[in-house]
Amino acid sequence: MRLITLQRNADPKRIKELLREKGLWIKTFESGKTQCFLIEPHSTFVPRDQILAIPGVKEVLETSSAHPLMDTQSSQIQIGKKTLGLGKTPIFLAGPCSIESEEQIFLLAQKLSQIGVSFLRGGAFKPRTSPYAFQGNGKQALRWLRQAADAEKLLTVTEVLDTQDVEDVAEVADLIQIGTRNMYNYALLKRVGETKKPVLLKRGFSATVEEWLCSAEYCLLHGSPTVVLCERGIRSFDKATRNVLDVGTVALLAHEKRLPVIVDPSHAAGRRDLIAPLSKAAIAAGACGLMIETHLDPGSALSDGPQALQPDSLALLIQSIVKEPDSFYPSMSFPRK
Ligand code: PEP
Ligand code: MN
């Protein structure tokens, strides 16, 4: 695959026209603040010098990577008024596993907005292993989530399970979550891409990093402005914890690939007493944020109660992380601002 970068004062519209006249199929995307073009593989072959001869073209890069858009994604991302990514103060996404009632999500939003959380999370459509388990409150819960977040000036993140719900979810979500079970659902990835909303892509519980990056590429190729990766634990032979948090991969993505990664210690651990140590390990490894399930009364939660923190415990954890995130990893290659 080939990528074209443009000079700073270039006219992207004109260059695109000239490239199309040569028989090239072009996809435009942003890398940092500059526009780039991806030459789609089914294009006519045009020699490199002919492309370089077009005024305004800076470079033609050849890549054998299966995820060139993901490779060039910026290491800092803006969603609403919030910037997240490498070198930024870690961000927090918190809320219940499932949105159980209007009252519940409003009360939680109020508490979470006071302790430094920026995204209110909550599932309206729940992917449950048992078909008899609580499946979520559906569309009405989407509405409650948006209203609760707006009342407290929070951003929202919520999961879409099915292509038929993509529009409804996109209407209320600032960040559309794709869950671990759907990382390989290419039809869903494409539809979510078409909404042009930022995506939080959870890692499939047995997905390789390459498969994960390729799934992110589906979203970018089909229109998503950005994809934030979310490590939530992978399966192992050992059931001592619910999943195994792969901090090695978090470090690899952050330090080598320079990509923003959010860690979800809740689904990794499956138990609340391990959330704080795993959160600190995640930040030390290079995560730019944490998604943590939070409930006012975890004992009565309709899903994932054992791994939910109460807002007071979350407040203490946030304090200990934002005070000095770099103290977990003094030689961090991206000092935080
Ligand atoms: C969730 O975030 O509530 C969830 C279902 O997560 P996962 O897809 O990681 O299991
Ligand atoms: Mn959950």
Side-chain angles (χ1 to χ4, degrees), residues 204-238:
F205 43 65
S206 56
T208 63
V209 172
E210 187 63 15
E211 289 167 338
W212 191 12
L213 292 171
C214 281
S215 288
E217 188 81 3
Y218 264 93
C219 299
L220 292 178
L221 184 63
H222 288 270
S224 305
T226 50
V227 177
V228 183
L229 299 169
C230 178
E231 162 61 33
R232 46 79 71 201
I234 49 176
R235 280 229 167 131
S236 100
F237 53 87
D238 192 350

mmCIF file of all heavy atoms in Angstrom, residues 204-238:
data_model
loop_
_atom_site.group_PDB
_atom_site.id
_atom_site.type_symbol
_atom_site.label_atom_id
_atom_site.label_comp_id
_atom_site.label_asym_id
_atom_site.label_seq_id
_atom_site.Cartn_x
_atom_site.Cartn_y
_atom_site.Cartn_z
ATOM 1 N N GLY A 204 -10.396 -8.082 21.416
ATOM 2 C CA GLY A 204 -11.040 -9.388 21.513
ATOM 3 C C GLY A 204 -10.310 -10.217 22.558
ATOM 4 O O GLY A 204 -9.085 -10.125 22.658
ATOM 5 N N PHE A 205 -11.028 -11.048 23.326
ATOM 6 C CA PHE A 205 -10.336 -11.705 24.450
ATOM 7 C C PHE A 205 -9.308 -12.737 24.035
ATOM 8 O O PHE A 205 -8.524 -13.198 24.843
ATOM 9 C CB PHE A 205 -11.301 -12.244 25.509
ATOM 10 C CG PHE A 205 -12.513 -12.947 24.996
ATOM 11 C CD1 PHE A 205 -12.401 -14.132 24.304
ATOM 12 C CD2 PHE A 205 -13.774 -12.407 25.241
ATOM 13 C CE1 PHE A 205 -13.541 -14.771 23.843
ATOM 14 C CE2 PHE A 205 -14.914 -13.041 24.786
ATOM 15 C CZ PHE A 205 -14.795 -14.226 24.084
ATOM 16 N N SER A 206 -9.299 -13.093 22.736
ATOM 17 C CA SER A 206 -8.177 -13.937 22.299
ATOM 18 C C SER A 206 -7.566 -13.371 21.017
ATOM 19 O O SER A 206 -7.049 -14.118 20.188
ATOM 20 C CB SER A 206 -8.628 -15.383 22.116
ATOM 21 O OG SER A 206 -9.706 -15.422 21.216
ATOM 22 N N ALA A 207 -7.635 -12.065 20.864
ATOM 23 C CA ALA A 207 -7.131 -11.435 19.640
ATOM 24 C C ALA A 207 -5.648 -11.098 19.750
ATOM 25 O O ALA A 207 -5.184 -10.637 20.798
ATOM 26 C CB ALA A 207 -7.919 -10.151 19.362
ATOM 27 N N THR A 208 -4.934 -11.291 18.649
ATOM 28 C CA THR A 208 -3.534 -10.839 18.596
ATOM 29 C C THR A 208 -3.536 -9.320 18.405
ATOM 30 O O THR A 208 -4.556 -8.732 17.993
ATOM 31 C CB THR A 208 -2.785 -11.464 17.409
ATOM 32 O OG1 THR A 208 -3.403 -11.005 16.199
ATOM 33 C CG2 THR A 208 -2.810 -12.990 17.462
ATOM 34 N N VAL A 209 -2.390 -8.704 18.673
ATOM 35 C CA VAL A 209 -2.292 -7.250 18.497
ATOM 36 C C VAL A 209 -2.548 -6.897 17.028
ATOM 37 O O VAL A 209 -3.237 -5.912 16.715
ATOM 38 C CB VAL A 209 -0.896 -6.763 18.958
ATOM 39 C CG1 VAL A 209 -0.686 -5.297 18.613
ATOM 40 C CG2 VAL A 209 -0.745 -6.978 20.460
ATOM 41 N N GLU A 210 -2.033 -7.722 16.120
ATOM 42 C CA GLU A 210 -2.198 -7.452 14.688
ATOM 43 C C GLU A 210 -3.692 -7.495 14.300
ATOM 44 O O GLU A 210 -4.177 -6.631 13.572
ATOM 45 C CB GLU A 210 -1.379 -8.484 13.898
ATOM 46 C CG GLU A 210 -1.307 -8.259 12.402
ATOM 47 C CD GLU A 210 -0.625 -6.959 11.977
ATOM 48 O OE1 GLU A 210 0.061 -6.316 12.799
ATOM 49 O OE2 GLU A 210 -0.799 -6.575 10.799
ATOM 50 N N GLU A 211 -4.412 -8.478 14.809
ATOM 51 C CA GLU A 211 -5.856 -8.568 14.510
ATOM 52 C C GLU A 211 -6.597 -7.361 15.071
ATOM 53 O O GLU A 211 -7.508 -6.810 14.441
ATOM 54 C CB GLU A 211 -6.443 -9.854 15.113
ATOM 55 C CG GLU A 211 -6.007 -11.116 14.403
ATOM 56 C CD GLU A 211 -6.333 -12.389 15.179
ATOM 57 O OE1 GLU A 211 -6.513 -12.340 16.415
ATOM 58 O OE2 GLU A 211 -6.387 -13.455 14.550
ATOM 59 N N TRP A 212 -6.178 -6.941 16.237
ATOM 60 C CA TRP A 212 -6.812 -5.791 16.907
ATOM 61 C C TRP A 212 -6.585 -4.531 16.063
ATOM 62 O O TRP A 212 -7.522 -3.763 15.794
ATOM 63 C CB TRP A 212 -6.175 -5.681 18.283
ATOM 64 C CG TRP A 212 -6.784 -4.754 19.278
ATOM 65 C CD1 TRP A 212 -8.000 -4.126 19.222
ATOM 66 C CD2 TRP A 212 -6.178 -4.359 20.518
ATOM 67 N NE1 TRP A 212 -8.178 -3.377 20.351
ATOM 68 C CE2 TRP A 212 -7.083 -3.505 21.163
ATOM 69 C CE3 TRP A 212 -4.969 -4.656 21.142
ATOM 70 C CZ2 TRP A 212 -6.797 -2.926 22.405
ATOM 71 C CZ3 TRP A 212 -4.694 -4.095 22.375
ATOM 72 C CH2 TRP A 212 -5.597 -3.238 22.995
ATOM 73 N N LEU A 213 -5.339 -4.330 15.642
ATOM 74 C CA LEU A 213 -5.027 -3.137 14.832
ATOM 75 C C LEU A 213 -5.769 -3.173 13.491
ATOM 76 O O LEU A 213 -6.210 -2.141 12.977
ATOM 77 C CB LEU A 213 -3.514 -3.025 14.599
ATOM 78 C CG LEU A 213 -2.688 -2.720 15.857
ATOM 79 C CD1 LEU A 213 -1.192 -2.858 15.578
ATOM 80 C CD2 LEU A 213 -2.998 -1.312 16.383
ATOM 81 N N CYS A 214 -5.926 -4.372 12.922
ATOM 82 C CA CYS A 214 -6.663 -4.480 11.651
ATOM 83 C C CYS A 214 -8.140 -4.131 11.856
ATOM 84 O O CYS A 214 -8.763 -3.498 10.995
ATOM 85 C CB CYS A 214 -6.535 -5.886 11.059
ATOM 86 S SG CYS A 214 -4.967 -6.135 10.227
ATOM 87 N N SER A 215 -8.698 -4.515 12.989
ATOM 88 C CA SER A 215 -10.091 -4.159 13.259
ATOM 89 C C SER A 215 -10.231 -2.645 13.406
ATOM 90 O O SER A 215 -11.197 -2.045 12.917
ATOM 91 C CB SER A 215 -10.590 -4.851 14.530
ATOM 92 O OG SER A 215 -10.747 -6.224 14.268
ATOM 93 N N ALA A 216 -9.242 -2.025 14.060
ATOM 94 C CA ALA A 216 -9.262 -0.564 14.187
ATOM 95 C C ALA A 216 -9.183 0.071 12.794
ATOM 96 O O ALA A 216 -9.853 1.073 12.501
ATOM 97 C CB ALA A 216 -8.080 -0.112 15.042
ATOM 98 N N GLU A 217 -8.406 -0.555 11.919
ATOM 99 C CA GLU A 217 -8.239 -0.036 10.561
ATOM 100 C C GLU A 217 -9.573 -0.039 9.804
ATOM 101 O O GLU A 217 -9.864 0.863 9.035
ATOM 102 C CB GLU A 217 -7.203 -0.890 9.821
ATOM 103 C CG GLU A 217 -6.779 -0.351 8.458
ATOM 104 C CD GLU A 217 -5.730 0.761 8.549
ATOM 105 O OE1 GLU A 217 -5.275 1.085 9.661
ATOM 106 O OE2 GLU A 217 -5.395 1.313 7.481
ATOM 107 N N TYR A 218 -10.400 -1.075 10.038
ATOM 108 C CA TYR A 218 -11.736 -1.113 9.418
ATOM 109 C C TYR A 218 -12.505 0.163 9.745
ATOM 110 O O TYR A 218 -13.124 0.780 8.882
ATOM 111 C CB TYR A 218 -12.540 -2.306 9.954
ATOM 112 C CG TYR A 218 -12.486 -3.537 9.072
ATOM 113 C CD1 TYR A 218 -11.546 -4.519 9.300
ATOM 114 C CD2 TYR A 218 -13.385 -3.700 8.021
ATOM 115 C CE1 TYR A 218 -11.490 -5.654 8.506
ATOM 116 C CE2 TYR A 218 -13.340 -4.828 7.214
ATOM 117 C CZ TYR A 218 -12.392 -5.796 7.464
ATOM 118 O OH TYR A 218 -12.348 -6.906 6.672
ATOM 119 N N CYS A 219 -12.479 0.543 11.024
ATOM 120 C CA CYS A 219 -13.238 1.739 11.438
ATOM 121 C C CYS A 219 -12.661 2.970 10.752
ATOM 122 O O CYS A 219 -13.413 3.791 10.207
ATOM 123 C CB CYS A 219 -13.175 1.922 12.955
ATOM 124 S SG CYS A 219 -13.880 0.559 13.873
ATOM 125 N N LEU A 220 -11.348 3.113 10.762
ATOM 126 C CA LEU A 220 -10.727 4.310 10.165
ATOM 127 C C LEU A 220 -10.998 4.365 8.657
ATOM 128 O O LEU A 220 -11.331 5.420 8.118
ATOM 129 C CB LEU A 220 -9.211 4.316 10.417
ATOM 130 C CG LEU A 220 -8.763 4.508 11.873
ATOM 131 C CD1 LEU A 220 -7.246 4.441 11.972
ATOM 132 C CD2 LEU A 220 -9.253 5.847 12.435
ATOM 133 N N LEU A 221 -10.866 3.223 7.995
ATOM 134 C CA LEU A 221 -11.064 3.205 6.539
ATOM 135 C C LEU A 221 -12.497 3.579 6.174
ATOM 136 O O LEU A 221 -12.756 4.175 5.141
ATOM 137 C CB LEU A 221 -10.709 1.812 5.980
ATOM 138 C CG LEU A 221 -10.781 1.672 4.461
ATOM 139 C CD1 LEU A 221 -9.773 2.598 3.786
ATOM 140 C CD2 LEU A 221 -10.519 0.240 4.028
ATOM 141 N N HIS A 222 -13.436 3.239 7.059
ATOM 142 C CA HIS A 222 -14.841 3.520 6.748
ATOM 143 C C HIS A 222 -15.340 4.833 7.339
ATOM 144 O O HIS A 222 -16.528 5.103 7.303
ATOM 145 C CB HIS A 222 -15.709 2.327 7.154
ATOM 146 C CG HIS A 222 -15.495 1.179 6.214
ATOM 147 N ND1 HIS A 222 -16.235 1.004 5.075
ATOM 148 C CD2 HIS A 222 -14.549 0.217 6.199
ATOM 149 C CE1 HIS A 222 -15.774 -0.041 4.405
ATOM 150 N NE2 HIS A 222 -14.748 -0.540 5.071
ATOM 151 N N GLY A 223 -14.447 5.643 7.906
ATOM 152 C CA GLY A 223 -14.867 7.005 8.264
ATOM 153 C C GLY A 223 -14.601 7.471 9.677
ATOM 154 O O GLY A 223 -14.757 8.662 9.962
ATOM 155 N N SER A 224 -14.239 6.564 10.602
ATOM 156 C CA SER A 224 -14.000 7.033 11.976
ATOM 157 C C SER A 224 -12.838 8.016 11.987
ATOM 158 O O SER A 224 -11.809 7.751 11.368
ATOM 159 C CB SER A 224 -13.617 5.879 12.912
ATOM 160 O OG SER A 224 -14.581 4.888 12.878
ATOM 161 N N PRO A 225 -12.982 9.135 12.706
ATOM 162 C CA PRO A 225 -11.862 10.069 12.768
ATOM 163 C C PRO A 225 -10.714 9.522 13.615
ATOM 164 O O PRO A 225 -9.553 9.800 13.339
ATOM 165 C CB PRO A 225 -12.471 11.322 13.410
ATOM 166 C CG PRO A 225 -13.683 10.843 14.140
ATOM 167 C CD PRO A 225 -14.171 9.613 13.437
ATOM 168 N N THR A 226 -11.036 8.738 14.651
ATOM 169 C CA THR A 226 -10.007 8.191 15.531
ATOM 170 C C THR A 226 -10.504 6.890 16.156
ATOM 171 O O THR A 226 -11.710 6.712 16.348
ATOM 172 C CB THR A 226 -9.715 9.143 16.722
ATOM 173 O OG1 THR A 226 -10.953 9.498 17.315
ATOM 174 C CG2 THR A 226 -8.994 10.375 16.312
ATOM 175 N N VAL A 227 -9.559 6.033 16.485
ATOM 176 C CA VAL A 227 -9.895 4.821 17.234
ATOM 177 C C VAL A 227 -8.983 4.766 18.454
ATOM 178 O O VAL A 227 -7.762 4.840 18.327
ATOM 179 C CB VAL A 227 -9.685 3.540 16.393
ATOM 180 C CG1 VAL A 227 -9.978 2.301 17.234
ATOM 181 C CG2 VAL A 227 -10.571 3.552 15.153
ATOM 182 N N VAL A 228 -9.586 4.668 19.619
ATOM 183 C CA VAL A 228 -8.819 4.511 20.858
ATOM 184 C C VAL A 228 -8.899 3.034 21.224
ATOM 185 O O VAL A 228 -9.993 2.465 21.303
ATOM 186 C CB VAL A 228 -9.417 5.371 22.003
ATOM 187 C CG1 VAL A 228 -8.558 5.254 23.250
ATOM 188 C CG2 VAL A 228 -9.555 6.818 21.572
ATOM 189 N N LEU A 229 -7.737 2.422 21.420
ATOM 190 C CA LEU A 229 -7.708 0.998 21.758
ATOM 191 C C LEU A 229 -7.963 0.819 23.251
ATOM 192 O O LEU A 229 -7.519 1.645 24.054
ATOM 193 C CB LEU A 229 -6.340 0.412 21.387
ATOM 194 C CG LEU A 229 -5.984 0.507 19.905
ATOM 195 C CD1 LEU A 229 -4.515 0.149 19.690
ATOM 196 C CD2 LEU A 229 -6.879 -0.405 19.061
ATOM 197 N N CYS A 230 -8.677 -0.233 23.607
ATOM 198 C CA CYS A 230 -8.941 -0.508 25.030
ATOM 199 C C CYS A 230 -8.560 -1.944 25.370
ATOM 200 O O CYS A 230 -9.181 -2.892 24.870
ATOM 201 C CB CYS A 230 -10.416 -0.244 25.359
ATOM 202 S SG CYS A 230 -10.847 -0.617 27.076
ATOM 203 N N GLU A 231 -7.528 -2.082 26.181
ATOM 204 C CA GLU A 231 -7.100 -3.411 26.663
ATOM 205 C C GLU A 231 -7.936 -3.750 27.892
ATOM 206 O O GLU A 231 -7.978 -2.983 28.853
ATOM 207 C CB GLU A 231 -5.590 -3.364 26.978
ATOM 208 C CG GLU A 231 -5.067 -4.472 27.860
ATOM 209 C CD GLU A 231 -5.220 -5.885 27.296
ATOM 210 O OE1 GLU A 231 -5.150 -6.071 26.069
ATOM 211 O OE2 GLU A 231 -5.430 -6.805 28.117
ATOM 212 N N ARG A 232 -8.609 -4.928 27.851
ATOM 213 C CA ARG A 232 -9.521 -5.297 28.943
ATOM 214 C C ARG A 232 -9.253 -6.711 29.451
ATOM 215 O O ARG A 232 -10.080 -7.321 30.107
ATOM 216 C CB ARG A 232 -10.980 -5.136 28.498
ATOM 217 C CG ARG A 232 -11.299 -5.700 27.155
ATOM 218 C CD ARG A 232 -11.488 -7.188 27.097
ATOM 219 N NE ARG A 232 -12.715 -7.593 27.739
ATOM 220 C CZ ARG A 232 -12.943 -8.816 28.189
ATOM 221 N NH1 ARG A 232 -12.023 -9.763 28.053
ATOM 222 N NH2 ARG A 232 -14.099 -9.125 28.758
ATOM 223 N N GLY A 233 -8.057 -7.216 29.133
ATOM 224 C CA GLY A 233 -7.718 -8.558 29.600
ATOM 225 C C GLY A 233 -8.001 -9.592 28.544
ATOM 226 O O GLY A 233 -8.979 -9.493 27.803
ATOM 227 N N ILE A 234 -7.095 -10.581 28.487
ATOM 228 C CA ILE A 234 -7.258 -11.672 27.520
ATOM 229 C C ILE A 234 -7.444 -12.983 28.276
ATOM 230 O O ILE A 234 -7.150 -13.078 29.461
ATOM 231 C CB ILE A 234 -6.035 -11.755 26.568
ATOM 232 C CG1 ILE A 234 -4.714 -11.736 27.359
ATOM 233 C CG2 ILE A 234 -6.064 -10.592 25.569
ATOM 234 C CD1 ILE A 234 -3.477 -11.919 26.514
ATOM 235 N N ARG A 235 -7.904 -14.000 27.561
ATOM 236 C CA ARG A 235 -8.163 -15.301 28.200
ATOM 237 C C ARG A 235 -6.865 -16.046 28.476
ATOM 238 O O ARG A 235 -5.927 -15.966 27.685
ATOM 239 C CB ARG A 235 -8.986 -16.156 27.241
ATOM 240 C CG ARG A 235 -10.421 -15.794 27.272
ATOM 241 C CD ARG A 235 -11.250 -17.057 27.418
ATOM 242 N NE ARG A 235 -12.606 -16.660 27.765
ATOM 243 C CZ ARG A 235 -13.676 -17.134 27.144
ATOM 244 N NH1 ARG A 235 -13.556 -18.007 26.164
ATOM 245 N NH2 ARG A 235 -14.868 -16.749 27.535
ATOM 246 N N SER A 236 -6.840 -16.801 29.551
ATOM 247 C CA SER A 236 -5.684 -17.667 29.777
ATOM 248 C C SER A 236 -6.189 -18.999 30.315
ATOM 249 O O SER A 236 -7.392 -19.191 30.485
ATOM 250 C CB SER A 236 -4.715 -17.009 30.752
ATOM 251 O OG SER A 236 -4.852 -17.532 32.045
ATOM 252 N N PHE A 237 -5.261 -19.902 30.590
ATOM 253 C CA PHE A 237 -5.617 -21.205 31.163
ATOM 254 C C PHE A 237 -6.049 -21.065 32.623
ATOM 255 O O PHE A 237 -6.659 -21.943 33.189
ATOM 256 C CB PHE A 237 -4.426 -22.163 31.074
ATOM 257 C CG PHE A 237 -3.177 -21.579 31.683
ATOM 258 C CD1 PHE A 237 -2.915 -21.723 33.031
ATOM 259 C CD2 PHE A 237 -2.282 -20.844 30.900
ATOM 260 C CE1 PHE A 237 -1.785 -21.158 33.590
ATOM 261 C CE2 PHE A 237 -1.148 -20.286 31.462
ATOM 262 C CZ PHE A 237 -0.897 -20.438 32.816
ATOM 263 N N ASP A 238 -5.726 -19.917 33.248
ATOM 264 C CA ASP A 238 -5.914 -19.751 34.681
ATOM 265 C C ASP A 238 -7.137 -18.895 34.983
ATOM 266 O O ASP A 238 -7.258 -17.776 34.488
ATOM 267 C CB ASP A 238 -4.651 -19.074 35.251
ATOM 268 C CG ASP A 238 -4.622 -19.117 36.772
ATOM 269 O OD1 ASP A 238 -5.649 -19.493 37.374
ATOM 270 O OD2 ASP A 238 -3.583 -18.765 37.334
#
